[in-house]
Amino acid sequence: MPAEDEPTLDPALPESPRELRFAYVPGVTPGKWIRRWEERMPHVPLRSFMSDGGTQLSVLRDGSADLSFVRLPVEREGLNVIPLYEEQPVVVAPKGHEITVFEDVALEDLAAENFLDADDLGGPEMALQVVASGAGLLILPMSVARHFNIKDTVARRLTGAPGTQIALAWPSDATDEVIEEFIGIVRGRTAQSSRQPSAQQEPEKKAPKPDRRGGTGAGAKKPKVAQRYAPNPDKGRGRGSRKKGKR
């Protein structure tokens, strides 16, 4: 038996709403998904934070995030992974480089250039700083180059190079209705979609409205309907019973 001062939990009371957390790599702009979540699921707090390429999966392994927007390829063991969209590659060069005069550049035309590896230089932001110094060129997704926007660099669309893909990942054993709801929002399902958990919930039944005399339901007496015509004063009298007036 609990002590007198110890609060007891009422099983009829709903549990406190969980918080949904997701991470995203640079270049992903999750604003539209956050707005839709707040419109549909205002009772479940949503928290987001940016992770770099080295931690895009570790945030799932250590429990820091429930889901993660990752840049493929990734190790998929123990994860559910849904590819979302492909990113446009660009080549980034120091300002004043000859690619500045073009809108698109073919990869085969840059065979003589020195290309840098962003991972070897500590990530795209540091690599872009090295590009600005004139040490070489860098291939990145357009969204990443725009995100960091390093001064004294110029980016041009690159053709002939493979694109990268953004995907949504989460642990295979952690799927629940809250995560399913978020996945549906990211995939563009409407609030009325039969695949959305929130749309499958039965609407609350409304209580019958009382009538003006306070009665409810089928047993209530119906109000009398007003007569549309005045009653016939001669109804029920025998023939010839009407008094004749003087002519």
Side-chain angles (χ1 to χ4, degrees):
M1 179 178 292
E4 293 183 0
D5 296 336
E6 183 180 350
T8 58
L9 296 178
D10 186 349
L13 295 177
E15 297 181 0
S16 300
R18 59 168 289 184
E19 179 185 61
L20 185 66
R21 305 155 301 160
F22 73 88
Y24 58 96
V25 291
V28 173
T29 52
K32 62 180 179 180
W33 301 315
I34 293 175
R35 289 191 297 271
R36 290 173 186 169
W37 180 267
E38 292 174 345
E39 292 171 358
R40 299 186 196 178
M41 303 287 288
H43 57 288
V44 179
L46 185 65
R47 184 169 66 88
S48 61
F49 59 93
M50 186 178 293
S51 62
D52 59 31
T55 62
Q56 62 178 356
L57 291 185
S58 64
V59 293
L60 299 176
R61 309 293 190 195
D62 63 17
S64 301
D66 300 299
L67 307 102
S68 180
F69 289 92
V70 299
R71 186 167 282 113
L72 300 179
V74 296
E75 173 56 53
R76 301 192 179 204
E77 184 178 356
L79 298 176
N80 289 323
V81 180
I82 299 176
L84 298 175
Y85 59 89
E86 189 169 325
E87 298 176 294
Q88 168 67 47
V90 297
V91 57
V92 186
K95 185 174 288 187
H97 192 277
E98 60 183 7
I99 70 167
T100 306
V101 300
F102 302 101
E103 292 185 1
D104 301 307
V105 181
L107 180 60
E108 60 184 14
D109 295 336
L110 302 174
E113 296 287 346
N114 176 44
F115 282 94
L116 306 174
D117 189 303
D119 293 335
D120 293 342
L121 296 172
E125 186 174 15
M126 184 61 68
L128 286 167
Q129 297 283 0
V130 177
V131 171
S133 70
L137 307 187
L138 185 65
I139 297 176
L140 287 175
M142 180 183 289
S143 59
V144 176
R146 287 179 174 176
H147 173 79
F148 291 109
N149 193 24
I150 298 298
K151 187 179 178 181
D152 295 329
T153 62
V154 60
R156 292 293 182 265
R157 288 193 299 268
L158 185 63
T159 62
T164 51
Q165 270 193 317
I166 293 297
L168 182 61
W170 71 98
S172 302
D173 58 353
T175 304
D176 60 16
E177 288 188 351
V178 175
I179 289 178
E180 286 288 352
E181 188 75 27
F182 186 80
I183 294 168
I185 288 175
V186 171
R187 302 192 77 172
R189 296 176 192 153
T190 64
Q192 292 75 33
S193 172
S194 60
R195 300 184 66 181
Q196 288 297 95
S198 58
Q200 298 172 9
Q201 298 175 0
E202 295 184 1
E204 295 182 1
K205 295 182 179 180
K206 295 182 179 180
K209 294 182 179 179
D211 62 19
R212 295 181 180 179
R213 297 177 300 167
T216 60
K221 294 182 179 180
K222 297 181 179 180
K224 292 182 178 180
V225 180
Q227 291 181 331
R228 298 179 60 186
Y229 304 101
N232 186 351
D234 296 331
K235 188 175 182 180
R237 294 181 181 179
R239 258 182 129 179
S241 62
R242 182 182 301 178
K243 293 181 181 180
K244 297 182 180 179
K246 295 180 178 180
R247 294 188 179 181

